[in-house]
Amino acid sequence: MSDYRDFPMPALVAEQSRAWLDTPEAERTESTPKPSSTVMLLREAADGVEVFVIRRASTMPFAPGMVAFPGGGVDPRDADPDLPWSGPSPQEWAARLDTDEDRARELVIAAAREVFEECGVLLAGDPETSGHVITDLTDPSWEAERSGLLDRSQSFAEMLTRLGLVLRTELLALRGHWTTPVCEPRRYDTRFFAARMPSGQVADAMTSESERVAWARPTEVLAAFAQGREVLLPPTEVMLEELAEIAPGAEALDAWLSEPVPVTRVLPWPVEHSGAVWMRMPV
């Protein structure tokens, strides 16, 4: 029985990977991966869960046209220690994320900031009310808040402080850690988080980074990928396979989100066989 799994690569990625494999080993270059966070927003469905997915715009420099989850790279201002914070401490998150406290703070804040910027979902609430999460983001002023983050006229910490809100880090669950293969010119060291969609909020498509968004059953996305109608990178495929195993019902989703899971870094590597380029990962 093999101890690895091979994933077929999309044409664009395969071309880059083949060129890297054809380069003499002494001449290969390796870029430093940028820390990043992505969030799988989940809600209950009749036969399990639905996850909010985006099809990345074809103009994006990384993974253009591919189905992914909201997320992005860490911003220097995500390290702000003054951001209003509830839930597990940065020190506790550091242990979960297997990193230092400063990087843990950045990754958790980046996850919440990106999901607000990209789809208008805010994992924050009233600091005076235990467990409270904001429910109504329909006022036009919220679009101005998102624009302020995107144009960098304000940081996420500044926004939450001014609005009297606290980041609810207890809403996030760590589910994976993947690093882009060394053959790629753009590399990310990505933590995959999951969160239940806050009641009353609405995820939207008001971002230039996507050409389509949808709530979808994991099995639907995987079927579209198998049929060649969608394109997935290996981390997205593996995460969708895990989501497809969640049983129906609120209790099952709550249990999945609250159950600590061991997370180790996965670094796929390129191989060529059967006339194609594949990404190989340990099982």
Side-chain angles (χ1 to χ4, degrees):
M1 181 177 180
S2 66
D3 58 355
Y4 60 82
R5 175 180 174 186
D6 286 348
F7 294 80
M9 286 292 94
L12 176 61
V13 178
E15 182 179 343
Q16 295 170 342
S17 301
R18 182 175 282 110
W20 190 86
L21 288 169
D22 290 342
T23 301
E25 189 170 345
E27 300 176 17
R28 293 172 181 171
T29 59
E30 181 178 332
S31 61
T32 302
K34 180 179 180 179
S36 67
S37 299
T38 192
V39 180
M40 299 179 289
L41 283 174
L42 306 175
R43 69 182 187 185
E44 298 157 35
D47 55 353
V49 300
E50 291 182 332
V51 59
F52 191 77
V53 293
I54 65 174
R55 183 189 295 146
R56 292 173 60 83
S58 57
T59 55
M60 294 294 290
F62 182 79
M66 300 184 192
V67 171
F69 310 114
V74 165
D75 183 283
R77 295 184 297 176
D78 291 332
D80 191 341
D82 294 326
L83 178 139
W85 181 291
S86 76
S89 68
Q91 184 177 20
E92 291 174 288
W93 274 110
R96 296 183 187 182
L97 294 163
D98 192 24
T99 188
D100 60 71
E101 188 172 328
D102 290 340
R103 179 51 53 82
R105 182 184 290 106
E106 291 176 333
L107 290 165
V108 171
I109 294 174
R113 174 183 53 76
E114 284 284 343
V115 82
F116 180 59
E117 288 180 359
E118 289 196 26
C119 49
V121 173
L122 187 58
L123 304 176
D126 182 353
E128 302 300 324
T129 306
S130 177
H132 174 268
V133 181
I134 193 166
T135 58
D136 185 4
L137 299 178
T138 57
D139 190 279
S141 63
W142 286 108
E143 289 308 312
E145 300 294 351
R146 290 169 71 180
S147 297
L149 294 175
L150 292 167
D151 66 18
R152 300 178 62 82
S153 61
Q154 68 173 346
S155 70
F156 197 53
E158 290 168 342
M159 185 193 82
L160 292 182
T161 300
R162 178 169 45 78
L163 297 175
L165 298 173
V166 61
L167 175 61
R168 297 291 185 194
T169 74
E170 65 270 29
L171 299 179
L172 291 166
L174 179 66
R175 301 301 305 190
H177 180 188
W178 289 69
T179 300
T180 310
V182 295
C183 56
E184 289 295 312
R186 290 179 178 271
R187 301 184 65 212
Y188 296 90
D189 189 40
T190 304
R191 269 45 172 224
F192 283 75
F193 296 89
R196 178 190 285 276
M197 180 68 186
S199 176
Q201 294 193 37
V202 178
D204 62 37
M206 297 181 67
T207 172
S208 61
E209 296 187 4
S210 66
E211 59 185 27
R212 177 178 176 271
V213 303
W215 283 101
R217 291 179 297 175
T219 52
E220 292 176 338
V221 184
L222 291 168
F225 173 57
Q227 297 162 9
R229 294 185 286 110
E230 296 289 7
V231 183
L232 304 175
L233 287 177
T236 311
E237 183 179 357
V238 171
M239 291 294 106
L240 287 168
E241 289 171 349
E242 291 188 10
L243 294 177
E245 297 298 319
I246 301 175
E251 291 184 0
L253 178 54
D254 288 340
W256 189 86
L257 287 169
S258 62
E259 179 184 2
V261 294
V263 172
T264 57
R265 186 175 76 114
V266 179
L267 175 62
W269 65 96
V271 295
E272 188 170 9
H273 63 77
S274 307
V277 175
W278 309 72
M279 280 298 163
R280 180 166 291 177
M281 58 163 275
V283 174

